[in-house]
Amino acid sequence: MRQPTFFLSHGGGPWPYMDGEFRHAHAKLEASLQALPASLPARPKAILMISAHWEASAFTVMTSPTPGMLYDYGGFPAHTYEVVYPAPGDPALAERVVALIQAAGLPVARDAARGFDHGAFCTLAPMYPDADVPVVQLSLRQGLDPAEHLALGRALAPLRDEGVLILGSGFSFHNLGLMFNGRGQAPSIAFDAWLQAAVPAPEGRAERLKDWEQAPAARLAHAREEHLLPLMVAAGAAEGEAGSCDYHQTDYLGGLTASSFRFG
């Protein structure tokens, strides 16, 4: 009952906790996230969440049994700074993650204080609204080396056979300077077309992802690549297995193309 892995485009800010036009812009994404649990081979024992919104000098693992909240956004309604996603942590899984990363020779650290950031709780809320699946969050590593994050995914792969669902939360297009003025449409289309070609076939996928900067409109789609690196982790944890597009939208926020991907 091996769990698949996912790279999820997580949308903008605290959208699941809002109403109106901004929430409506996420309707297709929301539907895909709501449908995800039913597509799994079994209910996960826990979730390991790699969010674009956490970078550290070493791969850092959340160890708290009761994680708090981190409202890492600005300019949204006051109530969105009071929302709570009360999923429990899983200290035993956190230690298992530490051990796997250490065994792979990668730098690792623990953090008992960090709470869930919006890359985590805004994807999890539509998926598991009762917050009844334990969640451990794991950081990216500063430097944002694609090869290193693919290696991280390979190190974490055994968790899939232990009932753990590995989720990489980022965004297939993330250039805030182009998102809201219409100039992001063309580069989002071009980069997404590359992703649709690069992700499905496992043969040579790691090399394609390592060389992502050579893709059409790569640096227009990702002026900084932290929102793309969770894809590397999800792909690395499913090396040798096919990928497929799990969510695809061509009219996000008025014209952007966005996608999520499943592996295995």
Side-chain angles (χ1 to χ4, degrees):
M1 301 295 284
R2 174 178 292 176
Q3 291 286 356
T5 72
F6 289 84
F7 168 68
L8 302 175
S9 286
H10 62 228
W15 65 266
Y17 301 93
M18 297 174 64
D19 294 312
E21 184 177 350
F22 189 69
R23 172 71 174 271
H24 180 70
H26 294 82
K28 293 177 183 177
L29 175 59
E30 184 169 18
S32 74
L33 294 172
Q34 289 172 334
L36 192 153
S39 77
L40 302 177
R43 179 180 171 86
K45 295 178 181 177
I47 292 169
L48 179 63
M49 171 67 71
I50 301 94
S51 169
H53 289 270
W54 187 12
E55 300 173 38
S57 58
F59 293 116
T60 303
V61 185
M62 176 190 290
T63 61
S64 172
T66 54
M69 300 289 286
L70 180 61
Y71 306 113
D72 55 339
Y73 40 74
F76 289 94
H79 78 272
T80 64
Y81 299 89
E82 299 176 357
V83 299
V84 175
Y85 187 76
D90 189 334
L93 173 59
E95 290 306 314
R96 174 72 169 136
V97 171
V98 169
L100 289 170
I101 297 173
Q102 286 177 332
L106 297 169
V108 65
R110 299 170 178 84
D111 189 325
R114 180 161 176 113
F116 296 129
D117 61 54
H118 84 268
F121 66 79
C122 286
T123 51
L124 293 170
M127 291 171 56
Y128 294 102
D130 295 332
D132 54 356
V133 178
V135 179
V136 170
Q137 203 171 329
L138 172 63
S139 80
L140 303 176
R141 189 181 182 209
Q142 292 168 354
L144 305 179
D145 180 1
E148 193 170 46
H149 287 78
L150 284 159
L152 173 66
R154 295 185 194 106
L156 299 172
L159 297 173
R160 298 173 57 203
D161 293 315
E162 300 169 14
V164 177
L165 178 63
I166 298 174
L167 300 178
S169 176
F171 212 99
S172 60
F173 176 90
H174 193 262
N175 184 336
L176 295 179
L178 302 182
M179 268 189 166
F180 304 104
N181 54 21
R183 293 189 292 131
Q185 183 175 21
S188 74
I189 291 171
F191 190 72
D192 190 86
W194 178 82
L195 286 173
Q196 300 295 339
V199 165
E203 297 81 12
R205 182 169 60 211
E207 293 304 317
R208 292 190 293 273
L209 293 179
K210 280 191 283 189
D211 293 335
W212 74 272
E213 287 185 271
Q214 306 306 312
R219 278 299 177 188
L220 289 175
H222 292 277
R224 190 173 184 275
E225 57 265 45
E226 80 286 346
H227 274 69
L228 186 65
L229 267 291
L231 170 64
M232 314 304 177
V233 184
E239 198 162 57
E241 298 178 62
S244 59
C245 185
D246 192 63
Y247 149 77
H248 182 70
Q249 183 169 356
T250 58
D251 59 350
Y252 177 70
L253 293 181
L256 298 174
T257 296
S259 295
S260 298
F261 295 92
R262 173 183 174 133
F263 299 90

